[in-house]
Amino acid sequence: MIALSSPTFRRSAIAILVAAVLLLFVPLVGSNYVVHVVTISFYYVILAASWNLLAGYTGQFSLAHHAFAAVGAYTSGLLGYHWGVSAWIGIPAGAVLAGAMGYGLGRLVLRMRTIYLAIATWAFAETVHVYLTADYAFTRGELGLSVKSLYGTLNPTPYYFTFLGLTVVVLLGLRALIDSPIGYFMRAIKDDELRAKSLGIDTTRVKVIVFSISSAIAGLAGGVYGHYIVTLTPQMLDFSEMAKIVVMVVIGGFGSFIGPIVGAAPVNIVLTYLASYGEWNLAFFAAIVIVLMRFSMEGIAGLIAPLWNRLWARNA
Amino acid sequence: DIGIGLDIPLSAPGDAAGGQLIRRGAEIGIDTVNAAGGVLGKKLKLFVTDSQSTPQMGVANYRRLVSEDKVVAVTGMFHSSVAIGINEVAKEMGVPTLAVQASASDITAKHYDIAFRTHAVDPVRVAAWMEFIKKKGFKKVSILAETTDYGIGLTDETIAQNKSGNFGIEIQKITFDNKATDFSAQLLQVKAFKPDLVLNIAVGTPVDLIMDQATTVGLLPATPMLISYDAPTRPQYWQLHAKNGDGIYFIAYYSPKAPLSDIGKTFAATYKEKYKEDPVYGALNGYGAIMIIADGLKAAGSADPKALIKALETGTFKSWPDAPVTFPRADGVYWHNWVPPVLIMQYTKPMQDWKEADVVVAYSKK
Amino acid sequence: MAAALEAIGLNKRFNGLQAANDVSLAVEQGEIRGLIGPNGAGKTTLVNLVTGVYEADSGEVKLAGQSLTGCAMHEIARRGLVRSFQVTRLFGSLTVAENLRTAFLARRPEDGSDGEAQIERMLDLTKLRPLADTQAKKLSGGQRALLQMGCGFMVPGSCYVLDEPFSGINPVIKDAIIDMILDVNKRHGATFLIVSHEMTIVRRLCPKVTVMMEGKVAAHGTLDEVARLPEVIAGYLGKALE
Amino acid sequence: MFSTELVIQTAISGVMIGVLYALMALGITFIYSIMRMVNWAMGEFYMVGSYLQYMLVAWALGPELWWLAILISTAGVFVLGLVVQWGLIKPIFKKPPELRDDYATVVTLALLLFLRSIATGLAGPNQFTPGSNLPIVMVGPMPLAGARVAAFLFALAALAIFWAVLRYTWYGLALRAASQSRVGVQTAGIDVLSVDRVAFGIGVALAGLAGALLAPVFLVFPTNGMITTVKGFEIVVIGGLGSIPGALIAGVLLGLMESFGAAFVDSAYQNIYGFILVIVILVLRPTGLFGERGREA
Amino acid sequence: MSGEVLLTVDDIHAAYQPGVDILQGMSLTVPPGGFVLVIGPNGAGKSTLLKSVFGLLMVHRGAITLGGQSIGGLPPHEIKRLGVSYVPQELNTFPHLTIEENLNVGGWTIRHDKARLKNRFERIYDTFPALAGKRRDKAGSLSGGQGRMLSVAREMITEPRLMLVDEPTVGLAPNLADQVYELLQTVRKSTATAILLVDQNVADALRHTEDVVMMNLGKVKAAGPVSEFGEARVHALVQECLLG
Ligand SMILES: Nc1ncnc2c1ncn2[C@@H]1O[C@H](COP(=O)(O)OP(=O)(O)OP(=O)(O)O)[C@@H](O)[C@H]1O
Ligand SMILES: Nc1ncnc2c1ncn2[C@@H]1O[C@H](COP(=O)(O)OP(=O)(O)OP(=O)(O)O)[C@@H](O)[C@H]1O
Ligand SMILES: [Mg+2]
Ligand SMILES: [Mg+2]
């Protein structure tokens, strides 16, 4: 395999593991709330990173990623609610269903590009949204579907470790994928699909694979999230959720591996903390975003890339 | 200081208008209590958070209010899903919640120790308008309801009570997406049905859009329309409906024609002075929630949440109406739930002050 | 024995314009064939039909005797048909080395090699080594053309269809590329169909040429034979070749 | 229930609303085709247009001069567009092109939040209406609010003028050219940054116009642009980017689909019909009904 | 050369991104009505030179003057108005506009002079009959060579003082390539347009030029009248550059 032996993979893996070890100590020092906020940040890191795989690397600017998280969450939630299925079965089932729906959607939008793809995927998400709202009897609609918690408690610490582990695994997996031949094909497709085909790349297959993988990851994260947040509402499919993911990734650095990692957590934390400023909170947030983007168009990754390179240049 | 959390919608997708009214009331409540020397020798402090109507935000806010701001109670809750979500966490963290304007049964029907509410639940409101329908002798009713817990919940309850109470009303049920803006198609169907009454079960903008568009297709003013909550008492009502606002029926919980308590009167005066308009239900209830919590703290004699819960369950409190407030461990949805009186009112002249509106039905739960 | 690449009665219309009109041609195994003709004659259209970019209105393409009808572009490429584009196409955000690596991975040979040796060789040949870590979108026009050529030769193909591969490339490097074409042709017996407007190169490389005009095959023979035809002189060369 | 009258009424209502949606779509597609960026804050310019209309009518001009208020509101949004372009969008176009999309996406999303927040902060979350003195008009069997009919006619006129300008004037030619090659117009001696400025201004002014026109119909509040924007995007992709007739036809198609769906299938799913139309059409024609396609190789 | 110059490029440094200068002290002059050919290996900076002169690239050191007026730092549209045309190396057409509309855009700066515009159109169509036959077709449907023709033709409409031309004959059939060179000569003679040509088709280009500048690594490697640049010398020079 090219992937596991490549220096990019090794470096990222080391960095991720070091960060993870440091993060192990957060629950010891943080309040219930702090631990909760960081836990939710992990959730967004996973969503952002998996969306980045699709949009940033493969050029499939999908606006349905939040929908796959919701599919994961609702699948497990509904299985539990109506049939008493355990979360340990429900969550994988949700991931599989999200992956399967991602496969279907990926096939459907195969020939679409840019804004066409964006709008079609978003139409898909809205369709799921309206369905979850309108089929009230089955999904409990806006009232919210009550879901059992994963560990029988809502103390954030066990969820914190669960999400931390999940994040590490997902990030390592994505890194390996990006450094593998498929990773090259993904970026090739984003740049010039016709050229990729002419070289012998089965672009359909690559796109559909990426769509399925990234949707399944979103579904998985959504499933676990659902069993932590315990009340699911169609708000999960509100466009603002998707916008949040987009902003996280672009602020971090679109199409760069580190981007969603350094983008998602700060955005989530800032947004959560600003919530106590009421109606002005989003104006603050918007102003921060705009200033940051004016400052570095490549996002945070653009700012830290030189440091990152220097770090390894010295150690090499 | 003793902290009290106020979790309300202040930005989209939440109903920020609803949240704002609650906040105004609560702030005046805090000032009133502090001006009178506070409780337990300490001042009260309000911590406001924005739930944006998502349980996710609401729950995060609750955790923060409890673990960082160390509040003794969290009130405000306007959207049912937020209240339900918060209660799940509150059950473990132990700080009581007092929902102000969230109507879903689940909030209290789960019988959690920490869950309290001061709002009319669906069955009460439906009972009020069934009485109204019977009184008016209406036979055909069109329900226009949004496809949310709110709209569907009330619709189903209406259909159920129609059956169980043998009212024998013919009901046309049309549901719509609460993001819709154009109701022409639905209203044409309503018109074709020729109802005696149109039940407008929407929240926020659709309420007004339905009224306007119903006027265009000629339903209003000929066919009576009942609005399912107190939207017409909000200050902007006549600005929006200068031409078609007359004759509308609406649900309300407060009318000056019904008596206010003494603290309610002080509040109404303060509010009027501060905001140059009369307080409406949301503000009154936001105020009431603070007063109830303050009295609860006094009764408990400590700022311990457990003691507060005990005090709330056992004590009798004062809020804005001239009626005692209690939170008994009652059956079903009435657990920890105080229901304000439900009024059905009607504007009888254009630009009428809502305080002058006719009280058509005054319903109290037996 | 079947021809390496064969077009049989290809037709293609673009709203009212017959860009390929009953085009038939057969390139023998190991042949280097020139394809010339005026601008707009349909050369690129033919290339696109052969490589699956366009679907023919009628007619058939065969690669080593096997029909390509209904084959997706990438399948055609995997069968060993390599092409280049007249207007160079590269993966702009990938570096030069990554472009070469992608080309290698796309048709990775069974022998398990990782392609690094080929990348090194190609960087030398195209003189792009100093730019190995530069993104392709930052290359000059000629460098782009070179890189595109380089990608084509990463994994040996059985049949190369090159659409004006020399345009914008410096004469000195052109020579190197010509040598590489001849080398691949000799060592692997690969077949070539080369579109070019440069008669000096066509003369050096292609024993036989096909002339297209107005969507049709107009002539066929050695360059000197066809260059004598009055319609070729009038419609394409402008003057007799010296 | 399926009376012909209801069918005709539903059809009229669908066409009316469709044309108004098309106006919004036009603004989106216009900015996209010139600047290759999606302006996600389109609905907020609609919102600003509606607030301006309300303020002008309620505080300054009075309901009789609603048409003048519409012109002024549109001009106001145009100016706001110029300012936004100058402050936020222009810097992108001095940087390498590959970052533009992402930057523009995030900056306009941020702008969306910003404008909404400002509106809520300043004017509160409440609804307003500029009111309308226009009488109810009977179109066939269908009674229509005067304001809606006026909006419809205004929208048609705006579409026609817009089309004529693009088609028959030099400036229109420059705009169309700029939408295809930025270097191309520069070599021709056209100031591409000024084209951007005007394009962005006009694009958002179209949204502002829609907002002003629909203010009495769909009311004025901080998030009122959302639905119209959603429809606008749907229309853009159904009709095909850059096509004016496409926008009109797709708008009407969408309007009809929604009103018939709501009237004869189930109105709870009204907003889904449009989405389904989007998906079906794009699967069949990935660049919309009238989208332009060039040769690929 | 008798002192009179139209364009002076004096020791310019230019970069696409800060810190990486592609032009590193490039200088040359073009006399009015002159014909200067720039050659050099791929990546020497020839196209970069033209872009810098046309104002598409920031020049952070050195001076560029046109007829005595400094044009360094001016935006492209103003440089165009001063009578400079630029034919880029890439196809420069508007694919969704018709041929005629493409040419119209080319005539933007003289759009108010209808008679002149009409006259120029006729000449263009005479020179390129292939374009005349397709004037109502979209430029996107043109073949590679036809697209090239259009790119060149568009910039000739204004009959500029100076034309910056980047590899104009790439992809053109031999007869058309010859025609383009002749056309450049015609433009030059009839309207006294000076030409700064970048070309890899060295053998043909040398036949038409007066002066030659050989570039490597963003600097002048050799320069002089065409008589000094035989094919053998050019070959040797390039070889030298490539070997480093
Ligand atoms: N996708 C298309 N749509 C419309 N017309 C097309 C398309 N592709 C090619 N054509 C037309 O078909 C004709 C042949 O084009 P083609 O590109 O095959 O020519 P060519 O021989 O390669 O010319 P050149 O030497 O200039 O590259 C041209 O007139 C062109 O305009
Ligand atoms: N957009 C760009 N960003 C960064 N570097 C670039 C860019 N365009 C060109 N370069 C670099 O500048 C150098 C000179 O490029 P230029 O296009 O001027 O070469 P050229 O002499 O015209 O070559 P050719 O004959 O191949 O067209 C090249 O090394 C190239 O890599
Ligand atoms: Mg060609
Ligand atoms: Mg060049």
Side-chain angles (χ1 to χ4, degrees):
Chain A
M1 275 290 285
I2 297 184
L4 300 181
S5 60
S6 80
T8 38
F9 180 80
R10 246 184 312 119
R11 290 171 189 184
S12 305
I14 293 172
I16 290 169
L17 292 173
V18 168
V21 169
L22 293 177
L23 285 165
L24 283 177
F25 297 97
V26 168
L28 294 182
V29 290
S31 72
N32 180 307
Y33 175 60
V34 168
V35 177
H36 169 78
V37 171
V38 182
T39 307
I40 299 294
S41 299
F42 287 138
Y43 166 67
Y44 282 113
V45 169
I46 297 176
L47 288 193
S50 52
W51 181 72
N52 190 37
L53 186 77
L54 190 57
Y57 280 93
T58 321
Q60 307 285 97
F61 198 95
S62 159
L63 293 179
H65 209 60
H66 59 321
F68 292 113
V71 165
Y74 265 94
T75 303
S76 185
L78 287 168
L79 284 175
Y81 185 83
H82 290 290
W83 297 285
V85 176
S86 140
W88 300 106
I89 298 170
I91 293 172
V96 169
L97 184 64
M101 287 175 80
Y103 177 87
L105 186 64
R107 287 226 148 251
L108 221 52
V109 301
L110 214 48
R111 284 155 64 225
M112 300 174 200
R113 250 162 250 187
T114 61
I115 186 176
Y116 294 99
L117 189 142
I119 303 298
T121 48
W122 172 67
F124 166 81
E126 279 304 311
T127 308
V128 179
H129 188 180
V130 176
Y131 165 74
L132 288 178
T133 314
D135 191 2
Y136 165 88
F138 185 60
T139 65
R140 310 285 292 142
E142 295 221 322
L143 187 61
L145 179 70
S146 287
V147 174
K148 282 210 180 59
S149 66
L150 192 57
Y151 299 118
T153 167
L154 288 178
N155 179 342
T157 306
Y159 300 91
Y160 177 92
F161 289 117
T162 309
F163 264 107
L164 176 60
L166 201 58
T167 309
V168 169
V169 171
V170 165
L171 289 180
L172 291 178
L174 289 180
R175 182 75 251 185
L177 187 68
I178 289 165
D179 289 335
S180 76
I182 287 206
Y184 279 88
F185 299 162
M186 280 157 38
R187 291 191 290 155
I189 289 171
K190 183 186 180 191
D191 278 357
D192 187 340
E193 185 170 353
L194 186 72
R195 164 89 177 142
K197 284 187 194 165
S198 80
L199 285 176
I201 298 171
D202 186 349
T203 57
T204 302
R205 192 165 146 262
V206 174
K207 286 203 280 188
V208 171
I209 287 179
V210 174
F211 233 114
S212 316
I213 291 179
S214 92
S215 308
I217 294 175
L220 178 66
V224 180
Y225 172 81
H227 286 283
Y228 173 50
I229 213 77
V230 304
T231 308
L232 302 178
T233 64
Q235 297 282 9
M236 265 186 108
L237 282 127
D238 196 89
F239 184 71
S240 62
E241 276 296 296
M242 188 64 230
K244 215 190 271 183
I245 298 175
V246 175
V247 169
M248 285 167 172
V249 172
V250 178
I251 284 225
F254 191 67
S256 89
F257 181 72
I258 191 92
I261 308 175
V262 294
V267 168
N268 180 52
I269 292 169
V270 169
L271 272 177
T272 320
Y273 272 89
L274 281 176
S276 49
Y277 292 90
E279 55 270 55
W280 294 102
N281 74 44
L282 292 175
F284 282 130
F285 176 70
I288 295 173
V289 168
I290 290 173
V291 170
L292 195 76
M293 287 309 284
R294 284 290 310 266
F295 198 61
S296 163
M297 273 183 40
E298 282 163 320
I300 301 172
L303 295 175
I304 61 176
L307 302 175
W308 173 254
N309 290 334
R310 206 167 326 138
L311 178 74
W312 295 106
R314 199 167 301 154
N315 294 4
Chain B
D1 291 6
I2 297 177
I4 296 178
L6 188 72
D7 190 57
I8 44 177
L10 285 172
S11 57
D15 183 349
Q20 180 126 336
L21 290 170
I22 296 175
R23 178 190 195 155
R24 288 178 174 184
E27 280 171 354
I28 294 177
I30 296 282
D31 292 345
T32 313
V33 173
N34 285 343
V39 289
L40 308 176
K42 291 185 183 154
K43 299 265 176 212
L44 287 186
K45 183 159 185 232
L46 195 65
F47 293 89
V48 182
T49 52
D50 177 8
S51 74
Q52 297 168 3
S53 90
T54 69
Q56 181 205 322
M57 275 314 278
V59 166
N61 292 339
Y62 178 88
R63 288 183 191 272
R64 168 185 186 162
L65 291 166
V66 173
S67 74
E68 303 215 322
D69 302 328
K70 313 281 185 220
V71 302
V72 294
V74 176
T75 180
M77 284 72 82
F78 180 91
H79 293 279
S80 292
S81 56
V82 175
I84 292 173
I86 286 181
N87 281 348
E88 293 301 324
V89 183
K91 188 173 59 144
E92 286 190 22
M93 296 184 72
V95 170
T97 64
L98 178 57
V100 162
Q101 224 173 327
S103 59
S105 305
D106 275 3
I107 295 169
T108 46
K110 287 185 174 170
H111 294 194
Y112 289 166
D113 283 344
I114 43 75
F116 294 83
R117 161 162 64 187
T118 60
H119 187 54
V121 288
D122 290 353
V124 181
R125 273 193 283 179
V126 172
W129 70 53
M130 290 314 283
E131 192 174 308
F132 162 70
I133 289 169
K134 196 165 155 199
K135 182 170 165 189
K136 289 278 177 183
F138 294 145
K139 287 278 164 268
K140 290 174 84 176
V141 175
S142 280
I143 298 182
L144 264 173
E146 59 175 46
T147 47
T148 59
D149 60 303
Y150 180 82
I152 308 280
L154 285 172
T155 306
D156 291 352
E157 181 67 31
T158 308
I159 292 168
Q161 290 196 16
N162 181 36
K163 203 185 244 163
S164 64
N166 287 321
F167 287 92
I169 298 160
E170 192 185 341
I171 293 177
Q172 178 194 39
K173 165 181 157 186
I174 297 178
T175 55
F176 59 85
D177 186 333
N178 67 341
K179 287 203 229 52
T181 48
D182 187 13
F183 301 94
S184 311
Q186 291 87 335
L187 289 163
L188 290 171
Q189 282 175 274
V190 172
K191 198 179 174 200
F193 179 70
K194 298 194 175 62
D196 301 325
L197 174 74
V198 179
L199 253 173
N200 180 342
I201 311 186
V203 178
T205 322
V207 174
D208 303 297
L209 292 175
I210 288 174
M211 277 179 68
D212 284 354
Q213 293 172 23
T215 310
T216 307
V217 303
L219 268 172
L220 281 179
T223 314
M225 178 180 285
L226 172 67
I227 289 167
S228 66
Y229 69 112
D230 60 346
T233 62
R234 291 190 186 176
Q236 74 270 22
Y237 178 78
W238 285 113
Q239 201 276 317
L240 291 170
H241 301 294
K243 294 199 188 119
N244 58 2
D246 182 22
I248 292 291
Y249 295 96
F250 56 95
I251 293 267
Y253 309 93
Y254 161 60
S255 156
K257 294 182 175 173
L260 279 178
S261 65
D262 50 348
I263 62 165
K265 282 180 198 143
T266 344
F267 172 73
T270 320
Y271 190 94
K272 179 129 196 192
E273 193 182 323
K274 195 162 172 192
Y275 295 109
K276 311 290 171 249
E277 62 197 33
D278 290 298
V280 296
Y281 173 67
L284 285 160
N285 229 14
Y287 169 78
I290 298 294
M291 300 313 278
I292 290 167
I293 293 171
D295 285 349
L297 286 167
K298 282 180 202 155
S302 103
D304 174 41
K306 283 225 170 54
L308 177 61
I309 291 172
K310 192 93 216 135
L312 287 175
E313 273 181 348
T314 51
T316 302
F317 303 92
K318 255 196 231 166
S319 183
W320 51 273
D322 192 14
V325 175
T326 56
F327 299 99
R329 292 183 161 237
D331 281 348
V333 64
Y334 299 108
W335 165 276
H336 284 185
N337 195 13
W338 171 70
V339 181
V342 178
L343 311 174
I344 290 183
M345 302 177 63
Q346 185 189 23
Y347 282 121
T348 51
K349 315 199 251 294
M351 309 310 273
Q352 188 174 37
D353 191 326
W354 65 272
K355 287 176 299 183
E356 256 103 67
D358 261 8
V359 176
V360 184
V361 171
Y363 178 86
S364 293
K365 188 177 82 78
K366 277 118 224 161
Chain C
M1 192 185 118
L5 180 67
E6 193 176 7
I8 307 159
L10 289 176
N11 280 294
K12 182 74 190 173
R13 254 187 117 71
F14 295 109
N15 16 296
L17 183 121
Q18 194 74 33
N21 188 349
D22 196 23
V23 176
S24 298
L25 118 172
V27 188
E28 297 307 322
Q29 178 69 45
E31 185 186 350
I32 303 181
R33 171 74 62 88
L35 180 61
I36 62 175
N39 297 120
K43 304 181 295 295
T44 301
T45 304
L46 176 61
V47 170
N48 284 338
L49 287 169
V50 165
T51 54
V53 176
Y54 294 151
E55 203 177 317
D57 298 337
S58 67
E60 193 183 13
V61 179
K62 284 183 177 170
L63 184 67
Q66 284 187 317
S67 172
L68 295 181
T69 310
C71 256
M73 261 177 95
H74 72 270
E75 289 169 34
I76 297 178
R78 294 233 175 117
R79 290 199 197 173
L81 194 146
V82 178
R83 77 164 288 180
S84 72
F85 292 88
Q86 179 173 7
V87 178
T88 45
R89 301 186 87 119
L90 294 170
F91 305 123
S93 67
L94 271 56
T95 65
V96 168
E98 286 172 336
N99 264 281
L100 293 169
R101 189 170 300 130
T102 307
F104 179 85
L105 293 172
R107 293 190 299 122
R108 184 155 38 158
E110 299 293 329
D111 60 15
S113 60
D114 63 359
E116 298 307 311
Q118 284 90 327
I119 293 176
E120 296 302 310
R121 203 168 63 86
M122 211 47 78
L123 287 174
D124 285 335
L125 188 88
T126 54
K127 308 276 183 241
L128 290 174
R129 178 174 294 287
L131 299 169
D133 292 326
T134 304
Q135 288 184 314
K137 68 186 165 212
K138 295 183 180 164
L139 296 183
S140 77
Q143 290 165 341
R144 293 174 56 85
L146 276 170
L147 179 55
Q148 189 184 229
M149 278 295 284
C151 289
F153 288 100
M154 278 303 289
V155 180
S158 61
C159 181
Y160 289 78
V161 180
L162 307 178
D163 199 353
E164 306 200 17
F166 304 104
S167 56
I169 294 183
N170 185 277
V172 176
I173 302 186
K174 260 178 210 167
D175 288 343
I177 294 181
I178 291 172
D179 290 342
M180 181 165 66
I181 291 176
L182 291 170
D183 179 58
V184 171
N185 172 252
K186 207 169 296 145
R187 278 201 303 164
H188 303 280
T191 310
F192 284 82
L193 178 63
I194 299 178
V195 181
S196 179
H197 289 301
E198 292 181 54
M199 291 309 121
T200 44
I201 294 182
V202 173
R203 168 166 293 134
R204 273 172 69 188
L205 273 175
C206 312
K208 288 253 180 76
V209 297
T210 300
V211 186
M212 279 189 79
M213 289 179 125
E214 295 177 354
K216 288 198 268 260
V217 174
H220 179 74
T222 67
L223 180 60
D224 289 317
E225 279 164 18
V226 301
R228 277 197 292 274
L229 299 172
E231 66 268 28
V232 175
I233 295 178
Y236 181 59
L237 295 171
K239 55 182 188 281
L241 287 182
E242 56 259 29
Chain D
M1 166 127 193
F2 282 68
S3 71
T4 33
E5 182 171 301
L6 194 57
V7 171
I8 296 172
Q9 286 175 331
T10 311
I12 292 172
S13 141
V15 172
M16 295 281 294
I17 199 77
V19 170
L20 289 166
Y21 291 157
L23 200 56
M24 194 71 185
L26 207 58
I28 295 171
T29 190
F30 189 55
I31 291 179
Y32 183 88
S33 30
I34 308 271
M35 307 173 77
R36 297 285 138 184
M37 54 167 270
V38 177
N39 177 12
W40 294 102
M42 216 55 190
E44 280 48 51
F45 288 97
Y46 170 102
M47 182 264 292
V48 172
S50 69
Y51 272 94
L52 287 176
Q53 176 74 8
Y54 164 72
M55 291 191 282
L56 286 166
V57 169
W59 301 346
L61 300 173
E64 272 75 37
L65 289 178
W66 62 272
W67 53 271
L68 180 60
I70 282 178
L71 299 181
I72 301 176
S73 307
T74 310
V77 175
F78 177 77
V79 172
L80 178 66
L82 296 187
V83 173
V84 167
Q85 198 278 342
W86 170 80
L88 296 182
I89 312 290
K90 194 166 117 197
I92 322 173
F93 287 89
K94 298 184 161 171
K95 293 269 175 71
E98 60 275 8
L99 295 174
R100 260 175 222 163
D101 258 7
D102 323 330
Y103 174 89
T105 301
V106 167
V107 165
T108 54
L109 277 175
L111 188 66
L112 170 155
L113 295 177
F114 189 75
L115 290 176
R116 259 190 212 176
S117 229
I118 293 286
T120 319
L122 293 181
N126 308 324
Q127 298 99 314
F128 303 92
T129 176
S132 164
N133 280 346
L134 300 171
I136 292 174
V137 180
M138 292 300 294
V139 178
M142 175 73 179
L144 287 165
R148 202 183 269 224
V149 177
F152 172 77
L153 296 175
F154 249 93
L156 274 187
L159 286 170
I161 293 173
F162 186 74
W163 182 76
V165 167
L166 271 196
R167 191 99 232 131
Y168 297 112
T169 66
W170 274 98
Y171 209 80
L173 181 63
L175 287 170
R176 284 188 290 146
S179 75
Q180 296 164 43
S181 162
R182 298 179 66 82
V183 175
V185 293
Q186 284 180 298
T187 66
I190 299 170
D191 178 1
V192 76
L193 291 177
S194 109
V195 170
D196 278 350
R197 197 153 51 234
V198 173
F200 195 82
I202 294 181
V204 301
L206 287 169
L209 172 63
L213 287 171
L214 293 176
V217 183
F218 292 150
L219 308 182
V220 180
F221 52 98
T223 52
N224 65 353
M226 209 160 61
I227 283 296
T228 336
T229 316
V230 171
K231 309 290 178 200
F233 276 113
E234 291 175 31
I235 291 167
V236 167
V237 300
I238 294 174
L241 271 175
S243 165
I244 298 177
L248 193 61
I249 292 171
V252 170
L253 207 61
L254 182 72
L256 288 175
M257 178 104 179
E258 288 192 346
S259 70
F260 275 95
F264 298 111
V265 186
D266 182 348
S267 68
Y269 294 96
Q270 187 168 8
N271 281 328
I272 284 193
Y273 303 124
F275 295 129
I276 292 173
L277 189 66
V278 166
I279 294 176
V280 168
I281 291 207
L282 287 188
V283 167
L284 298 177
R285 283 190 61 101
T287 52
L289 292 176
F290 298 86
E292 285 169 330
R293 267 185 291 191
R295 65 181 287 180
E296 289 207 89
Chain E
M1 270 183 289
S2 61
E4 220 198 326
V5 288
L6 175 65
L7 176 78
T8 318
V9 172
D10 185 17
D11 189 32
I12 61 169
H13 292 243
Y16 290 93
Q17 67 255 91
V20 193
D21 277 0
I22 303 295
L23 296 183
Q24 308 181 352
M26 179 67 198
S27 304
L28 59 70
T29 58
V30 181
F35 197 130
V36 177
L37 171 68
V38 181
I39 56 175
N42 294 118
K46 306 180 296 294
S47 303
T48 308
L49 170 68
L50 297 194
K51 285 185 219 168
S52 306
V53 172
F54 196 66
L56 288 165
L57 209 61
M58 263 304 160
V59 175
H60 61 88
R61 234 177 85 188
I64 307 175
T65 52
L66 181 76
Q69 181 187 354
S70 168
I71 57 169
L74 288 186
H77 61 104
E78 285 178 21
I79 294 178
K80 172 88 183 190
R81 273 185 215 141
L82 294 172
V84 180
S85 273
Y86 167 55
V87 183
Q89 185 168 5
E90 305 77 38
L91 271 191
N92 188 28
T93 58
F94 304 109
H96 300 305
L97 298 186
T98 63
I99 310 300
E100 183 130 331
E101 286 172 328
N102 266 274
L103 293 172
N104 264 320
V105 177
W108 174 263
T109 49
I110 55 165
R111 65 189 180 280
H112 300 301
D113 189 345
K114 293 220 174 72
R116 188 146 70 124
L117 199 57
K118 184 150 178 279
N119 169 352
R120 302 280 166 80
F121 263 70
E122 276 161 18
R123 287 194 29 198
I124 295 287
Y125 284 141
D126 278 351
T127 321
F128 300 105
L131 297 182
K134 288 179 151 255
R135 60 174 84 185
R136 308 245 170 275
D137 289 359
K138 296 268 163 89
S141 71
L142 294 179
S143 75
Q146 292 164 337
R148 277 262 142 220
M149 278 180 223
L150 183 58
S151 313
V152 178
R154 236 184 68 191
E155 296 306 327
M156 298 191 347
I157 290 183
T158 50
E159 295 187 350
R161 272 203 281 174
L162 171 66
M163 271 184 86
L164 311 167
V165 188
D166 203 346
E167 305 202 27
T169 59
V170 165
L172 287 192
N175 56 345
L176 286 174
D178 284 345
Q179 272 182 37
V180 167
Y181 288 121
E182 269 148 36
L183 188 81
L184 290 176
Q185 291 291 10
T186 323
V187 173
R188 193 179 148 221
K189 297 215 175 84
S190 64
T191 58
T193 302
I195 292 182
L196 181 58
L197 174 71
V198 168
D199 216 328
Q200 288 291 10
N201 188 356
V202 181
D204 283 336
L206 282 174
R207 277 202 290 278
H208 294 274
T209 186
E210 290 172 346
D211 297 296
V212 179
V213 175
M214 163 102 199
M215 275 185 84
N216 190 34
L217 301 175
K219 283 200 274 284
V220 177
K221 181 161 176 78
V226 67
S227 50
E228 293 172 13
F229 286 80
E231 234 177 292
R233 177 165 181 235
V234 171
H235 204 87
L237 280 170
V238 173
Q239 204 80 52
E240 217 174 283
C241 299
L242 289 177
L243 294 177

